[in-house]
Amino acid sequence: MVQQPPQPQFDPFYVNMYGPMPNEKFPVPAVDLRYLKPEYYRRVVDDPTGERPGTIVVDTSTRYLYLVREGRQAIRYGAGIGRAGFEWSGRGYIQYKREWPTWTPPASMIEREPHLEEWRHGQPGGIDNPLGARALYIFENGRDTIYRVHGSGEAWTIGDAVSSGCVRLLHQDVIDLYDRVSQGAPILVV
């Protein structure tokens, strides 16, 4: 009989934080913590941004998203960001929020990736939908930037520049953020 290598031990606090969410419309599996660097676990930190409470700040250099709170604190989430040539930066606001949103790839993405043609008119929400469990829609000066803060089940992408410009959080983290953020919340991507 072949022995399996021992499984790494993880802090039960984070095992619970990133555990399964069976009561979601589409049940969310547990995060395999072997693929998530501990520095990207969600946690409360001293606010490094200086922004007002309620503001979302995405620091693309560190791959962290911060939600600024009262008392000079912030909730820090690990994030996947846009790869070179696809990033967006600036000040905007969250125009609206959606649970299990429909994803519609932009025409330019379909042109680059023709296999996405089947979703030209939208891919229904679900665990395999690229927007994942939740999406926060970023607008700037009254216009849709086409960039989103959204969910992902791909733990290995957190901390990397991998997306077509959007900010990815794990499903468990984007659900947590979604529940804390108001429509109209300011967002700064630097």
Side-chain angles (χ1 to χ4, degrees):
M1 176 177 210
V2 177
Q3 276 194 333
Q4 295 294 320
Q7 291 296 312
Q9 296 297 309
F10 296 102
D11 183 324
F13 178 80
Y14 293 108
V15 170
N16 183 57
M17 178 184 291
Y18 291 112
M21 302 180 84
N23 296 328
E24 280 290 318
K25 180 177 179 181
F26 301 96
V28 175
V31 173
D32 186 338
L33 293 177
R34 293 176 299 170
Y35 299 106
L36 180 63
K37 296 175 188 165
E39 61 263 32
Y40 294 115
Y41 292 176
R42 178 187 345 141
R43 59 185 51 133
V44 176
V45 298
D46 292 333
D47 173 29
T49 73
E51 295 291 323
R52 73 177 198 258
T55 302
I56 298 168
V57 178
V58 180
D59 182 339
T60 59
S61 67
T62 61
R63 309 316 206 269
Y64 290 129
L65 180 149
Y66 297 92
L67 175 60
V68 180
R69 298 173 63 173
E70 298 288 339
R72 298 184 185 162
Q73 299 258 291
I75 300 174
R76 186 183 76 192
Y77 305 85
I81 62 166
R83 63 187 183 268
F86 291 93
E87 55 279 274
W88 176 83
S89 63
R91 282 192 183 270
Y93 57 93
I94 303 304
Q95 175 66 26
Y96 53 94
K97 313 179 327 176
R98 295 289 184 267
E99 295 185 18
W100 298 104
T102 297
W103 174 66
T104 305
S108 59
M109 183 181 278
I110 295 170
E111 191 174 306
R112 285 190 316 275
E113 302 177 52
H115 68 277
L116 298 175
E117 178 63 40
E118 72 176 301
W119 304 121
R120 180 175 294 279
H121 301 291
Q123 178 181 0
I127 201 73
D128 294 324
N129 178 304
L131 293 180
R134 306 286 188 274
L136 308 175
Y137 293 72
I138 304 170
F139 277 58
E140 180 182 41
N141 299 320
R143 293 185 166 186
D144 188 350
T145 64
I146 74 164
Y147 295 103
R148 316 285 183 243
V149 176
H150 66 78
S152 174
E154 299 174 337
W156 58 91
T157 68
I158 302 302
D160 286 332
V162 294
S163 76
S164 293
C166 291
V167 178
R168 293 180 178 189
L169 303 180
L170 292 171
H171 293 304
Q172 288 83 345
D173 285 345
V174 80
I175 290 168
D176 182 80
L177 178 67
Y178 181 98
D179 290 343
R180 297 174 187 273
V181 170
S182 301
Q183 187 169 310
I187 183 168
L188 171 63
V189 180
V190 294

